[in-house]
């Protein structure tokens, strides 16, 4: 275990990604119990302030503390990342496993369904879904999650097909282990690391997507804090108080970069073959 | 006569390939007696492995299909059994070991868990009990410091050790028949001998039958009692091991023996069998070995020879049985 950790942390991408995402997660966790100010409490007297001792990241047009809002925004982003990846993983892995196992018609049907989903421009369709179902964080997560299904389905299918060809699967069959047990105990553990890598990367993409939807007003609804939403509100006051836009923007870039690097680092360490290719 | 443990009758397994139908196994019959070691010999692609895979119902379909035949095990035709029943036989009554110890173990599961798995499946043991039993089996296949090895992963073991793990995995449920498909081919010669000796002694201990699939006649001489020689999907000769080595009947068997390196005979090139194995998708009139055979005559090319009874317990698929004078003296 210690050796494994050492291997991970000797990778620059992983270490950097780990530190960046750790800050985001820590911020989110702390905000659950403590924030400098109530993130939704307006305080007109302190509006549109720049960074100061009492408000390290300044305040917005209603005098709400930007640091507190960035912190609660982190919770929002993490929840979106977790839920969307969970949707994509559960449905996608099941579909991918089924496609790899049954092949032929089932495979064809599932993969064409994936193609169909892929053919839609993701953001436009997410906008469509949220505008039909009504703008809310839950609907935004649903919209993003749906587009993750084909990504995980394809990945699972591709990797699982390879694993089914392996001799140890034949050996497992020859010892009388049933097909479902083989899938669960032999196939799944073998495809875990590519799924983990993809999951981390999709987590980053989801944060970005949610920020985008919230920026358009289709995601998290006021007064709740979301980084995208904060950017949107800051837009009007760009000339008066650019700080309002800078900090949520930095937060988004920080988190996306962090989780992306984490994913890359995981790939480098878990899948040495990929490194050689690059 | 002893009751056969396993009887294969007229088994034909075809594969649908882009070039047509490959008759990988074509009318193969032989039997395995309880507790004996039977060697199935032949070069690559002669249908040895396909035969063994069809015993356990592991032929991938498509492209493979069992065209005809019966595989009788304890009075039942395995080819007609339901998947559910076959699964209870696999790894429990009939086990199999594969050629590549590098790829036949799951790289992400510990070896203890892999050896324990058949026990959990067939005996319904809890994980703790199965692991304890697995440990005793790892000791039986002489894995040093087995208790410490339980948590090891396959990549931490050498090829020979992995093959021992495979053997343990195949034997935990104490099967009546072990099918070993080229179990030592991928190993170093010194390790080969160790693994063979181990398999042989465990076979004696458990009183199980061993069906050894190999192209290595040296291995055959070491452990087998009876030999079935296959060529291009057919049985060409079947005989007790002594007869195969001292007095082979079929020209193919003779060729195989001549192409085997021997100590003290290192002058010049090894003898080879001229020509190559026929393409299995083509229909061949006459004997399948005829194009490569030094003794072949007109009948060989026109009509396929049946499997003649040469002596008690000896069979050969060769016209030379009927026309002994056609056998050339020095080839």
């Amino acid at each position: 275990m210690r050796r494994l950790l050492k291997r991970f942390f000797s990778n620059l991408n992983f270490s950097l990604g780990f530190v960046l995402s750790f800050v985001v997660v820590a911020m989110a966790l702390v905000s659950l119990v403590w924030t400098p100010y109530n993130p939704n409490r307006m305080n007109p007297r302190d509006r549109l302030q720049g960074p100061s001792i009492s408000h390290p990241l300044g305040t917005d047009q209603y005098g709400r503390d930007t640091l507190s809002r960035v912190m609660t925004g982190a919770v929002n982003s993490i929840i979106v990342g977790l839920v969307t990846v969970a949707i994509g993983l559960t449905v996608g892995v099941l579909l991918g496993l089924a496609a790899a196992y049954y092949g032929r018609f089932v495979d064809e049907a599932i993969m064409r369904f994936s193609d169909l989903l892929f053919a839609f421009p993701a953001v436009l369709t997410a906008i469509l879904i949220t505008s039909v179902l009504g703008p809310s964080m839950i609907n935004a997560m649903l919209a993003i999650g749906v587009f993750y299904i084909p990504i995980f389905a394809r990945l699972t299918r591709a990797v699982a097909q390879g694993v089914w060809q392996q001799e140890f699967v034949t050996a497992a069959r020859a010892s009388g282990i049933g097909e479902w047990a083989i899938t669960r105990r032999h196939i799944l553990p073998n495809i875990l690391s590519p799924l983990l890598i993809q999951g981390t990367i999709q987590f980053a993409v989801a944060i970005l997507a949610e920020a985008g939807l919230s920026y358009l007003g289709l995601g998290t609804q006021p007064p709740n804090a979301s980084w995208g939403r904060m950017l949107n509100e800051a837009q009007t006051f760009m000339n008066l108080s650019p700080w309002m836009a800078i900090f949520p923007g930095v937060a988004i870039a920080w988190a996306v970069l962090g989780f992306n690097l984490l994913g890359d680092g995981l790939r480098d360490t878990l899948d040495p073959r990929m490194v050689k290719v690059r | 006569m002893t009751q056969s443990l396993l009887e294969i009758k007229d088994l034909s397994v075809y594969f649908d390939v882009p070039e047509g139908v490959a008759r990988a196994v074509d009318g193969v019959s032989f039997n395995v007696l309880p507790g004996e070691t039977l060697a199935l010999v032949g070069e690559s692609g002669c249908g040895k492995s396909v035969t063994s895979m069809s015993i356990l119902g592991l032929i991938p379909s498509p492209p493979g299909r069992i065209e005809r035949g019966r595989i009788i095990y304890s009075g039942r035709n395995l080819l007609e059994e339901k998947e559910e029943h076959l699964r209870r036989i696999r790894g429990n009554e009939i086990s199999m070991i594969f050629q590549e110890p590098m790829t036949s173990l799951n790289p992400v599961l510990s070896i203890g868990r892999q050896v324990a798995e058949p026990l959990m499946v067939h005996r319904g043991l809890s994980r703790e009990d199965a692991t304890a039993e697995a440990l005793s089996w790892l000791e039986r296949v002489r894995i040093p410091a087995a208790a410490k090895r339980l948590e090891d992963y396959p990549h931490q073991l050498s090829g020979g050790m992995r093959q021992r793990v495979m053997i343990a995995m195949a034997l935990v449920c104490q099967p009546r028949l072990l099918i070993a498909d080229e179990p030592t081919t991928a190993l170093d010669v010194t390790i080969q001998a160790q693994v063979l000796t181990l398999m042989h002694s465990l076979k004696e201990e458990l009183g199980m039958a061993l069906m050894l699939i190999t192209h290595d006649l040296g291995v055959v001489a070491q452990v087998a009692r009876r030999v079935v020689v296959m060529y291009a999907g057919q049985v060409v000769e079947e005989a007790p091991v002594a007869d195969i080595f001292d007095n082979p009947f079929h020209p193919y068997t003779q060729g195989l023996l001549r192409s085997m390196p021997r100590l003290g005979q290192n002058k010049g090139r090894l003898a080879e069998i001229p020509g190559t194995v026929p393409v299995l998708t083509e229909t061949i009139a006459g004997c399948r070995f005829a194009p490569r055979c030094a003794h072949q005559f007109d009948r060989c090319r026109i009509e396929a020879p049946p499997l003649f009874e040469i002596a008690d317990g000896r069979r050969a698929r060769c016209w030379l049985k009927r026309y002994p004078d056609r056998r050339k003296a020095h080839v």
Side-chain angles (χ1 to χ4, degrees):
Chain A
M1 190 64 200
R2 187 175 293 169
R3 271 204 356 237
L4 195 70
L5 282 181
K6 206 178 157 191
R7 214 173 91 211
F8 277 131
F9 282 104
S10 63
N11 180 291
L12 185 67
N13 281 345
F14 183 87
S15 310
L16 208 61
F18 182 83
V19 172
L20 292 180
S21 6
F22 181 80
V23 171
V24 177
V25 175
M27 209 158 69
L29 287 179
V30 170
S31 82
L32 292 179
V33 286
W34 176 84
T35 46
Y37 296 85
N38 179 338
N40 293 336
R41 170 100 159 271
M42 302 189 193
N43 186 2
R45 224 176 304 164
D46 291 338
R47 49 203 294 269
L48 296 175
Q49 285 184 5
S52 64
I53 306 282
S54 51
H55 297 286
L57 303 186
T59 57
D60 68 3
Q61 76 273 32
Y62 301 117
R64 295 177 295 195
D65 179 50
T66 304
L67 177 61
S68 308
R69 285 180 74 74
V70 166
M71 283 170 75
T72 38
V75 178
N76 193 63
S77 292
I78 287 169
I79 289 175
V80 170
L82 285 179
V83 172
T84 52
V85 170
I87 294 174
L89 260 179
T90 352
V91 186
V93 167
L94 282 177
L95 286 178
L97 284 175
Y101 178 70
Y102 293 105
R104 294 172 165 217
F105 177 71
V106 179
D107 183 20
E108 204 60 30
I110 291 172
M111 284 306 112
R112 293 301 78 79
F113 165 73
S114 295
D115 288 344
L116 193 75
L117 267 181
F118 262 128
F120 285 102
V123 176
L124 281 184
T125 319
I127 292 172
L128 181 77
I129 294 178
T130 42
S131 41
V132 170
L133 297 179
S136 78
M137 186 169 140
I138 290 174
N139 289 342
M141 291 192 291
L142 213 65
I144 302 167
V146 165
F147 282 97
Y148 281 4
I149 293 173
I151 295 175
F152 286 105
R154 282 189 171 187
L155 178 70
T156 306
R157 169 183 175 268
V159 194
Q161 270 182 339
V163 180
W164 275 108
Q165 301 300 322
Q166 299 279 321
E167 204 164 31
F168 64 78
V169 172
T170 316
R173 279 198 176 122
S175 3
I177 297 160
E179 304 290 292
W180 173 236
I182 291 180
T183 308
R184 219 158 27 94
R185 294 204 289 259
H186 292 265
I187 308 291
L188 258 186
N190 271 291
I191 63 174
L192 228 50
S193 57
L195 287 178
L196 181 69
I197 295 161
Q198 192 69 41
T200 316
I201 291 170
Q202 294 312 128
F203 191 95
V205 176
I207 292 178
L208 198 59
E210 191 274 341
L213 286 178
S214 294
Y215 173 80
L216 294 172
L218 298 169
T220 313
Q221 293 304 300
N224 294 327
S226 145
W227 295 339
R229 176 107 220 141
M230 289 166 76
L231 266 186
N232 171 302
E233 288 166 1
Q235 197 171 232
T236 333
F237 304 94
M238 277 291 272
N239 290 331
L240 273 169
S241 175
W243 303 110
M244 248 180 94
I246 288 172
F247 290 114
V250 166
I252 294 170
W254 178 294
V256 173
L257 183 69
F259 286 105
N260 259 321
L261 285 175
L262 196 67
D264 280 352
L266 279 175
R267 163 155 45 211
D268 292 348
T269 28
L270 290 178
D271 197 351
R273 276 162 307 172
M274 302 287 282
V275 186
K276 276 182 208 147
V277 173
R278 284 211 238 150
Chain B
M1 207 185 137
T2 345
Q3 180 80 42
S4 294
L5 177 64
L6 182 83
E7 215 174 334
I8 298 180
K9 284 182 177 166
D10 194 28
L11 177 72
S12 292
V13 186
Y14 292 178
F15 285 84
D16 295 309
V17 291
E19 294 78 32
V21 179
R23 285 176 286 273
V25 172
D26 208 357
V28 163
S29 302
F30 63 86
N31 59 347
V32 184
L33 303 175
E36 80 165 338
T37 301
L38 175 82
L40 199 57
V41 182
E43 57 199 301
S44 314
C46 72
K48 298 169 296 195
S49 298
V50 174
T51 306
S52 60
M53 296 287 264
S54 37
I55 296 173
L56 287 178
L58 293 176
I59 297 290
S61 167
R65 60 191 149 93
I66 310 272
E67 188 63 17
R68 56 171 195 277
R70 279 178 295 165
I71 295 175
I72 312 287
Y73 173 79
S74 31
R76 284 194 281 194
N77 184 359
L78 293 186
L79 296 179
E80 284 168 359
E81 286 298 329
K82 286 205 183 83
E83 176 66 22
E84 181 59 34
H85 179 237
L86 270 182
R87 199 182 300 151
R88 278 202 295 270
I89 291 179
R90 289 183 200 142
N92 192 18
E93 295 180 43
I94 304 178
S95 282
M96 194 159 174
I97 304 175
F98 296 87
Q99 177 172 350
E100 272 296 335
M102 301 293 162
T103 53
S104 332
L105 288 170
N106 190 334
V108 299
L109 295 184
S110 70
I111 59 167
R113 176 134 179 234
Q114 292 189 67
V115 175
E117 199 171 12
L119 287 165
M120 290 156 66
V121 171
H122 294 296
R123 298 282 148 85
L125 295 188
S126 69
R127 179 163 294 182
E128 294 73 40
D129 294 347
T131 309
E133 181 91 16
L135 174 61
S136 80
W137 272 96
L138 288 178
E139 279 161 358
R140 270 177 106 163
V141 297
R142 315 216 178 97
I143 297 228
K148 285 187 195 151
R149 292 290 191 175
L150 274 178
E151 295 299 313
D152 275 5
Y153 289 87
H155 71 268
Q156 292 166 285
L157 303 179
S158 68
M161 284 301 149
R162 284 187 226 189
Q163 199 59 301
R164 283 164 198 266
V165 172
M166 283 300 297
I167 294 173
M169 211 174 126
L171 297 187
V172 276
C173 292
Q174 313 202 0
R176 292 163 70 192
L177 172 63
L178 174 65
I179 302 172
D181 190 350
E182 308 255 5
T184 58
T185 308
L187 304 177
D188 292 344
V189 186
T190 46
I191 308 294
Q192 275 188 14
Q194 288 177 11
V195 169
L196 276 180
T197 316
L198 174 72
M199 273 173 48
H200 192 71
S201 64
L202 285 172
K203 177 202 101 94
E204 297 289 312
E205 231 178 284
L206 299 175
M208 64 175 180
L210 175 62
M211 187 173 141
L212 188 67
I213 298 167
T214 181
H215 60 256
D216 186 344
L217 288 169
V219 169
V220 174
Q222 254 181 314
V223 294
R225 198 179 71 87
R226 237 156 31 93
V227 181
V228 171
V229 183
M230 283 184 72
Y231 182 78
Q234 294 182 319
V235 172
V236 292
E237 183 158 7
E238 180 186 333
V241 70
D243 290 325
I244 285 282
F245 283 95
D246 300 341
N247 183 24
F249 188 91
H250 200 283
Y252 176 65
T253 317
Q254 294 173 341
L256 274 184
L257 282 166
R258 266 203 303 276
S259 59
M260 206 174 120
R262 277 169 209 215
L263 280 178
Q265 265 191 3
N266 50 0
K267 285 178 201 128
R269 258 178 91 107
L270 270 178
E272 56 189 312
I273 305 175
T276 50
V277 194
V279 179
L280 293 170
T281 45
E282 282 166 12
T283 346
I284 304 150
C287 173
R288 297 187 176 190
F289 187 61
R292 304 174 73 184
C293 183
H295 308 278
Q296 54 109 352
F297 50 99
D298 40 6
R299 184 152 196 189
C300 300
R301 273 162 281 145
I302 300 162
E303 195 183 342
L307 206 50
F308 289 108
E309 186 94 21
I310 306 282
D312 190 31
R314 281 200 73 175
R315 297 183 297 163
R317 191 183 293 276
C318 183
W319 285 118
L320 290 174
K321 164 68 181 164
R322 193 165 291 172
Y323 310 95
D325 48 328
R326 291 285 193 159
R327 195 185 281 273
K328 290 172 185 138
H330 298 288
V331 276

